[in-house]
Amino acid sequence: MIQSLKRTFDILEYIASNGNLVRVNDIAQALGLQKTTVHNFLVSLKQLGYVEQDEVTPRYRITAKINQLDFSGIPYYDLRNKLKPVIERLTLESNETSFLAIQMGNYFRYEWKCEPARSLRISLELGKEFEMRHTAIGKVFMAYSPHLSNTVSKGLSESEIIAQNKEMKQILERGYALDLEEYEKELHCVAIPYFYKNRIISVIGLSGPAHRFGEKEMQHMVQLFKTII
Amino acid sequence: MIQSLKRTFDILEYIASNGNLVRVNDIAQALGLQKTTVHNFLVSLKQLGYVEQDEVTPRYRITAKINQLDFSGIPYYDLRNKLKPVIERLTLESNETSFLAIQMGNYFRYEWKCEPARSLRISLELGKEFEMRHTAIGKVFMAYSPHLSNTVSKGLSESEIIAQNKEMKQILERGYALDLEEYEKELHCVAIPYFYKNRIISVIGLSGPAHRFGEKEMQHMVQLFKTII
DNA sequence: TTAATTAATCCAACATCGTTGAACAAATGA
DNA sequence: TCATTTGTTCAACGATGTTGGATTAATTAA
């Protein structure tokens, strides 16, 4: 157990469970630490923006920044159940395979899929990980996460990066991404972000053979998605 | 800047902004740390319950525990505006002084008040700090925070603690606290908790002279409060 | 199934970085 | 005004996290 990590959270928990406006001394006493120790932690937390001091009295409070770390309330486990009818509907209307993908660091994986009842159809493995580049789904994740986009850019040439940024911008404007035989010959794919509380928590994708699943069909599915979501 | 504190949040922020399901290696690479260093942090965070590992793949995610530190969305600054009409109404109906108090560690202070237009009335300073014990408002804070209650108990005799716990229990049952000439002779006070998302974020208090502001009047105000909140 | 590869975990010596206490400054109260 | 409490600063010490390499486990390829 990393001591200062534990102390960090001891301090934060103390602040949180004592009205979110507390004195250095009270924390120190309650946790059995030196004032100056607690003070140092608070200075660091303040620099990082996780705590701030009261304007009137020298008291500390936790700021809203901690919220970016809070995923509670996001229905991860409920995601399949929630979006299953959506992708089933998309497959029903398009007669192509639809997917539900979630981000895993620099990769994504399919959590769920729905295949149409026809012989020639796209079929990809659930659970397996895919690279972000060259896939419609990956590009959506990248477009909505500059951080991810930068990571993926590493090692690319100047011109490739410019092209990528341009495409990201376009995806943000349109609200969806396309993969026109980029990942694989004869394969078309369209991907749309799914948000929860302003956070992108999954991406819905639709894949079909290029000859029958063209831009027109894909755009139609985007429209449909937006009406049923 | 305490290094491990910064690293702790760097890691958490990385996880949070990369889909909340990431590998040790990706974190290490992105932050320029050793795998083992990151791993040690994750072990500690896991022990504290702030992260957990995916069931299928060895990936880490932030848990819901961080939520207890998240005060965003709690209308602290908006509190006065929200509850001002409430305490004004209470004063109007009771013809006594009402207060809006917030916790500050082991103390509380009045954020706002409303005094009736009559000569004999209770008047207490805004901003000043008050002890939790022997005040109705303090007892409400204590009743809803075992942690605070324990802290305040320190140094009390066995019998005093028993008496206090009994009163706390009663307050929880009733949903309000009374101070019958306990803080000061001839002074009666009733206090009611105000919750937001299951958290007690402030306490409303009403004070009046004992001879005219008795238990009956106080209970009546509690009923009123519950209807207008 | 075995080999090869990658990822995760463990370990012990080292050096960094947080801790300590005392002294100082600022705020509060008498 | 002085006395008291509380918050902040500082430098030397020593606890504790870091490092790289070795080990183990999990994947992937053959």
Side-chain angles (χ1 to χ4, degrees):
Chain A
M1 170 62 64
I2 295 174
Q3 194 194 47
S4 20
L5 192 153
K6 172 149 175 52
R7 291 187 170 177
T8 300
F9 284 101
D10 283 346
I11 290 172
L12 288 174
E13 286 173 16
Y14 181 85
I15 299 177
S17 55
N18 285 278
N20 200 22
L21 209 53
V22 300
R23 304 189 297 190
V24 175
N25 254 351
D26 290 336
I27 303 175
Q29 271 194 358
L31 304 181
L33 298 172
Q34 300 295 113
K35 281 190 296 191
T36 159
T37 304
V38 174
H39 179 252
N40 283 339
F41 276 85
L42 291 172
V43 167
S44 294
L45 284 167
K46 202 161 90 172
Q47 278 184 36
L48 294 179
Y50 286 104
V51 305
E52 63 188 10
Q53 279 181 289
D54 191 39
E55 307 73 36
V56 251
T57 54
R59 280 150 200 282
Y60 292 86
R61 75 157 67 87
I62 298 173
T63 70
K65 193 178 178 187
I66 204 86
N67 176 249
Q68 70 179 40
L69 304 178
D70 186 7
F71 284 81
S72 68
I74 292 187
Y76 272 123
Y77 302 102
D78 204 33
L79 210 53
R80 290 188 194 182
N81 305 330
K82 265 213 176 107
L83 293 182
K84 211 177 144 191
V86 174
I87 64 173
E88 280 170 356
R89 174 80 189 282
L90 290 173
T91 291
L92 189 73
E93 300 278 347
S94 65
N95 235 325
E96 303 293 354
T97 312
S98 42
F99 300 95
L100 167 60
I102 61 165
Q103 188 189 352
M104 304 184 76
N106 305 330
Y107 311 88
F108 70 84
R109 77 173 177 202
Y110 295 120
E111 281 288 291
W112 205 250
K113 65 176 173 180
C114 182
E115 301 188 1
R118 65 206 295 195
S119 319
L120 178 59
R121 65 187 188 211
I122 312 302
S123 191
L124 293 164
E125 290 174 67
L126 289 186
K128 199 186 154 196
E129 275 158 39
F130 291 82
E131 300 277 345
M132 291 293 179
R133 286 193 77 201
H134 308 310
T135 63
I137 288 177
K139 288 189 282 188
V140 169
F141 279 121
M142 285 164 66
Y144 288 90
S145 164
H147 183 279
L148 173 65
S149 188
N150 284 330
T151 310
V152 176
S153 295
K154 273 176 192 161
L156 298 187
S157 73
E158 195 65 34
S159 58
E160 284 175 314
I161 292 178
I162 291 173
Q164 180 178 286
N165 289 341
K166 196 180 158 192
E167 187 172 12
M168 297 298 109
K169 207 180 148 200
Q170 197 180 37
I171 292 168
L172 287 177
E173 283 165 5
R174 288 181 176 171
Y176 64 92
L178 295 179
D179 157 21
L180 305 171
E181 304 189 66
E182 187 181 343
Y183 179 73
E184 207 176 305
K185 189 86 183 135
E186 250 308 300
L187 181 65
H188 273 187
C189 187
V190 57
I192 318 155
Y194 175 70
F195 298 98
Y196 183 82
K197 290 189 179 171
N198 295 320
R199 238 186 203 131
I200 179 167
I201 58 168
S202 89
V203 172
I204 306 288
L206 272 147
S207 289
H211 68 271
R212 69 176 191 224
F213 195 51
E215 282 202 55
K216 196 181 147 198
E217 286 79 10
M218 294 195 272
Q219 274 165 20
H220 180 233
M221 294 322 294
V222 173
Q223 294 311 318
L224 175 64
F225 177 83
K226 285 181 179 166
T227 60
I228 62 180
I229 207 63
Chain B
M1 170 63 63
I2 295 174
Q3 194 195 45
S4 22
L5 191 153
K6 172 148 176 51
R7 291 188 169 176
T8 301
F9 283 102
D10 284 346
I11 292 172
L12 288 174
E13 286 173 17
Y14 182 85
I15 300 177
S17 54
N18 285 278
N20 200 22
L21 209 53
V22 300
R23 303 189 299 189
V24 176
N25 254 350
D26 291 337
I27 304 176
Q29 271 193 0
L31 304 181
L33 298 173
Q34 300 295 114
K35 284 187 294 193
T36 159
T37 304
V38 174
H39 179 253
N40 283 339
F41 276 86
L42 290 172
V43 166
S44 294
L45 284 167
K46 203 162 91 172
Q47 279 184 35
L48 294 179
Y50 286 104
V51 305
E52 63 189 9
Q53 279 181 288
D54 192 38
E55 307 73 36
V56 249
T57 54
R59 282 151 197 279
Y60 291 86
R61 75 157 66 89
I62 298 172
T63 70
K65 193 179 179 187
I66 203 86
N67 176 248
Q68 72 180 39
L69 304 178
D70 187 7
F71 283 81
S72 68
I74 292 188
Y76 271 123
Y77 303 101
D78 205 34
L79 210 54
R80 290 188 195 182
N81 305 329
K82 264 210 177 110
L83 293 182
K84 212 177 142 190
V86 174
I87 63 173
E88 280 170 355
R89 174 80 192 280
L90 290 173
T91 291
L92 188 73
E93 299 279 347
S94 64
N95 234 327
E96 303 292 355
T97 312
S98 41
F99 300 95
L100 166 60
I102 61 165
Q103 188 189 354
M104 306 182 75
N106 305 330
Y107 311 88
F108 71 84
R109 78 173 176 202
Y110 296 120
E111 281 287 292
W112 205 249
K113 65 176 173 180
C114 183
E115 301 188 0
R118 65 204 294 196
S119 320
L120 179 58
R121 67 190 187 209
I122 311 302
S123 190
L124 292 165
E125 289 175 67
L126 290 186
K128 199 186 153 195
E129 277 158 37
F130 291 81
E131 299 276 346
M132 291 292 179
R133 286 192 78 201
H134 308 309
T135 64
I137 288 177
K139 287 189 284 188
V140 170
F141 278 121
M142 285 164 66
Y144 288 91
S145 164
H147 184 278
L148 175 65
S149 188
N150 283 331
T151 310
V152 176
S153 295
K154 272 176 192 161
L156 298 186
S157 73
E158 194 65 34
S159 59
E160 283 175 314
I161 293 178
I162 292 172
Q164 180 177 287
N165 289 342
K166 196 180 159 193
E167 187 172 13
M168 297 298 109
K169 206 179 148 200
Q170 198 181 37
I171 292 168
L172 287 178
E173 284 166 4
R174 289 181 176 171
Y176 64 91
L178 294 179
D179 157 20
L180 304 172
E181 304 190 64
E182 187 181 345
Y183 179 73
E184 207 178 305
K185 188 85 181 138
E186 250 309 298
L187 182 65
H188 272 188
C189 186
V190 57
I192 319 156
Y194 175 70
F195 298 98
Y196 182 82
K197 290 189 179 170
N198 294 322
R199 237 185 204 133
I200 179 168
I201 58 168
S202 89
V203 172
I204 307 287
L206 272 147
S207 289
H211 67 270
R212 71 178 189 219
F213 196 51
E215 281 202 57
K216 195 179 148 200
E217 286 80 10
M218 294 194 272
Q219 274 165 19
H220 180 233
M221 294 322 294
V222 173
Q223 295 311 318
L224 175 64
F225 177 84
K226 285 181 180 167
T227 60
I228 62 180
I229 208 62

